[in-house]
Amino acid sequence: MKRGWILILTLALSLTACGGSKNSGAELTVFAAASLQETLTEIGENYQREHPGVTLVFNFDSSGTLKTQIEEGADCDIFISAGQKQMNQLDAAAAPAVNADAPEENAEDSLDFIASNTRFNLLENKVALVVPEGNPAGIQNFDGLKAALEAGDVLLAMGNEDVPVGQYTQKIFAYFGLDEAALNAAGVLTYGSNVKEVTSQVSEGTVDCGIIYGTDAFSAGLTVVDAATAEMCGQVIYPAAALKNSKFPEEAQAFLDYLRTPAAGAVLEAVGFTPLG
């Protein structure tokens, strides 16, 4: 009986030693912008087939919500934001030069969560003006949207102010001289807590138009009537990085490296993202 227990203990120790090897038994938690849900899920499935010792657990939401969850101590190994601002607010090493969204921010305003040596710009997206099937309000472009909003003739869906797509929309408003508070008071705006909620409002036809990302329009089969220029709202850059407190830093870096490969890039390009890594 004693010999049997020794054999079991020896086998257990052997398995434990094997399990400690790189890419074995690692569960990576990835916080990613809601606009990446379809593509990153597909990329994750492909990666796990190639790396059976790694499990990827995704949390998709607005970048602002994800940032807050990280600040409050949520377990997270990798953060992929839809804007530089949310990443910079977690990165003590962030400098104005890398902050295209809010150049006034600096390291003094940041928290120390990001492993800065792992950070890079993953991809670029476009901000799009979309309409439901049939385009009942006849919106053709941003100039037409401006006139229709001022006349009170349309209902526009946009992201909340803490959501990157909402922040890009606010920049578009500023470019066209539109007063968001006045428009909201006039009842011509509705809001979503992330880009998926805005997309759903347009898809369901509960609004006349919406401002979302071009990739979400593609995934939802929505008609894009205009795309915002960099002059209107800046570049839409998605940074990615590992967190300093990741329990699996090597595996986190390996997945970040994979996101920069042609295989991952092909999935991103298929829906309209432009890989930058």
Side-chain angles (χ1 to χ4, degrees):
M1 188 71 175
K2 179 187 253 186
R3 185 176 301 169
W5 278 110
I6 293 174
L7 179 61
I8 292 171
L9 179 59
T10 303
L11 182 59
L13 290 172
S14 176
L15 290 172
T16 300
C18 292
S21 63
K22 185 180 177 181
N23 288 343
S24 178
E27 182 176 283
L28 293 177
T29 301
V30 181
F31 281 27
S35 50
L36 283 166
Q37 184 166 345
E38 292 84 5
T39 49
L40 205 55
T41 297
E42 181 178 347
I43 289 171
E45 290 171 351
N46 294 341
Y47 186 80
Q48 288 175 110
R49 280 194 292 269
E50 297 177 21
H51 303 81
V54 176
T55 300
L56 296 171
V57 178
F58 293 106
N59 177 23
F60 298 104
D61 211 320
S62 77
S63 300
T65 297
L66 298 173
K67 177 191 76 74
T68 299
Q69 291 174 356
I70 291 171
E71 287 177 355
E72 293 177 348
D75 288 334
C76 176
D77 297 286
I78 292 171
F79 181 38
I80 307 175
S81 172
Q84 300 280 15
K85 180 177 181 179
Q86 290 73 22
M87 183 70 77
N88 280 1
Q89 289 171 334
L90 298 174
D91 186 1
V98 302
N99 191 358
D101 287 343
E104 72 278 3
E105 286 188 327
N106 56 43
E108 294 178 358
D109 303 316
S110 302
L111 299 171
D112 194 13
F113 286 87
I114 300 301
S116 296
N117 62 317
T118 70
R119 179 176 173 174
F120 67 100
N121 290 334
L122 174 61
L123 54 88
E124 182 177 3
N125 206 344
K126 297 295 182 183
V127 175
L129 175 60
V130 297
V131 296
E133 186 176 359
N135 191 10
I139 300 297
Q140 300 299 324
N141 49 44
F142 279 109
D143 288 311
L145 173 63
K146 176 183 186 298
L149 285 171
E150 291 176 331
D153 293 336
V154 296
L155 182 60
L156 169 71
M158 63 177 285
N160 291 338
E161 64 179 0
D162 64 335
V163 178
V165 75
Q167 293 162 357
Y168 292 122
T169 302
Q170 289 177 325
K171 291 183 179 182
I172 293 170
F173 284 175
Y175 176 85
F176 283 102
L178 292 167
D179 184 334
E180 181 187 353
L183 294 174
N184 190 31
V188 296
L189 300 178
T190 68
Y191 292 86
S193 63
N194 59 52
V195 72
K196 295 300 182 186
E197 287 189 8
V198 180
T199 303
S200 294
Q201 291 181 51
V202 182
S203 296
E204 293 164 4
T206 58
V207 295
D208 298 305
C209 53
I211 298 178
I212 60 175
Y213 298 121
T215 52
D216 287 283
F218 178 90
S219 297
L222 291 172
T223 299
V224 174
V225 295
D226 204 357
T229 64
E231 183 182 8
M232 291 163 62
C233 67
Q235 284 184 284
V236 184
I237 304 297
Y238 289 49
L243 269 69
K244 282 188 172 182
N245 65 351
S246 171
K247 297 175 183 176
F248 304 101
E250 291 185 29
E251 288 82 359
Q253 183 62 63
F255 183 62
L256 288 172
D257 291 342
Y258 180 80
L259 292 176
R260 305 169 87 161
T261 64
V267 177
L268 295 168
E269 287 179 322
V271 300
F273 286 115
T274 301
L276 301 175

